[in-house]
Amino acid sequence: MSDDRLIVALDVPNILLGQRLAQELGNSVSFYKIGLGMLTTGGLALANELKQEQGKRIFLDMKLFDIPNTIENAVRGFTQFDLDFLTVHGDPHVVAAAKQGAAGSGMKILAVTILTALDRQDLDNCLIQPGDVSDLVVERAARAFEAGADGVISSPHEAAAIRALPEAEGRLIVTPGVRPAGAELGDQKRVMTPAQAIANGADHVVVGRPICKAPDPMEAATRILAEMRSPQALQPNH
Ligand code: C5P
């Protein structure tokens, strides 16, 4: 049985491989993320096909960042694709403009707080203010919510602190950086299991390689879904 708390990142090079993977996953998966890597190789066409022909939910991960007028126009353009989630960077002017562009559509705007691949040294290089990265993530989430974000993307490690923010009431937390117990980490450094992420307050978990690169993707997805429904998913910080 599918469960839309699991979002599978279709991180494959082109539309044909995306179609094949979605076919293999069949009814076990109901929500897909399509990212920048597929934008020039049919990503939007695949999004349309999965939505219109198969009734899947779609998260388009574009991580937009620009001046307000450009963001508003770009986001308004994306509303023609009947998407469920769209990401922008969490800077308040970007989030507010994205919400204007999405007005009248059902598309939710998710704010990226700080890219999880960046550490303090990278932030120093970007001239981002000093301080603990986790604290900055939580502060940026609060500001994104104040600017109107429907949700934020965060590591599962910050999910509990974001969930505790008064501003997070009724908003979504979506966490990549999730690995089932015993899975390879790839380039993700600060991972948690799907059950831990849900227990920490995530509404959706995004999983890519542990499913896309599995010898049997359907079996991998089914195992993760079972873990998300396990009793551990109800115990914060287990
Ligand atoms: O393969 P893996 O499960 O690590 O894939 C996670 C997905 O989530 C990828 O599509 C990646 O781009 C995305 N993502 C992430 N960290 C963020 C934002 C998005 O890993 N901060």
Side-chain angles (χ1 to χ4, degrees):
M1 201 178 64
S2 71
D3 176 340
D4 77 354
R5 291 180 301 171
L6 173 64
I7 302 178
V8 174
L10 276 180
D11 290 333
V12 290
N14 59 54
I15 185 167
L16 288 176
L17 293 170
Q19 284 166 325
R20 190 185 303 166
L21 184 58
Q23 202 172 4
E24 280 180 53
L25 291 168
N27 290 333
S28 62
V29 172
S30 56
F31 211 151
Y32 286 104
K33 179 172 95 70
I34 293 177
L36 275 173
M38 254 228 267
L39 188 61
T40 54
T41 53
L44 284 169
L46 180 60
N48 247 352
E49 183 183 318
L50 291 173
K51 179 88 186 199
Q52 305 303 335
E53 293 172 23
Q54 299 184 37
K56 304 296 184 190
R57 300 184 73 195
I58 301 293
F59 167 5
L60 196 68
D61 190 12
M62 293 290 111
K63 298 189 178 72
L64 301 174
F65 181 85
D66 211 314
I67 60 170
N69 185 57
T70 306
I71 291 289
E72 185 176 337
N73 288 334
V75 172
R76 187 168 296 119
F78 278 119
T79 60
Q80 69 186 295
F81 289 96
D82 193 16
L83 304 164
D84 294 280
F85 295 168
L86 175 73
T87 45
V88 301
H89 278 267
D91 304 58
H93 77 276
V94 177
V95 173
K99 283 295 290 179
Q100 294 278 343
S105 77
M107 186 170 74
K108 292 195 186 311
I109 299 298
L110 303 185
V112 175
T113 51
I114 292 178
L115 295 171
T116 44
L118 303 184
D119 59 17
R120 187 59 256 178
Q121 179 70 53
D122 298 313
L123 298 185
D124 288 344
N125 290 340
C126 297
L127 304 182
I128 299 212
Q129 73 173 57
D132 177 68
V133 180
S134 294
D135 293 344
L136 292 178
V137 166
V138 177
E139 179 65 18
R140 272 178 66 84
R143 294 192 187 193
F145 288 141
E146 279 166 12
D150 299 297
V152 293
I153 311 292
S154 90
S155 146
H157 287 270
E158 277 90 35
I162 294 173
R163 183 46 76 212
L165 288 168
E167 297 89 339
E169 173 93 41
R171 314 294 177 99
L172 298 170
I173 299 177
V174 179
T175 60
V178 169
R179 288 289 176 271
E184 278 182 35
L185 298 189
D187 53 3
Q188 298 283 10
K189 292 179 186 122
R190 301 169 62 231
V191 301
M192 281 192 174
T193 67
Q196 287 171 322
I198 297 285
N200 279 358
D203 299 284
H204 299 274
V205 298
V206 178
V207 182
R209 286 160 289 184
I211 292 176
C212 300
K213 295 206 181 300
D216 182 346
M218 161 94 93
E219 191 271 332
T222 306
R223 223 166 353 100
I224 289 171
L225 286 164
E227 199 184 312
M228 285 166 51
R229 296 190 190 111
S230 68
Q232 288 95 326
L234 301 171
Q235 297 166 18
N237 303 313
H238 67 90

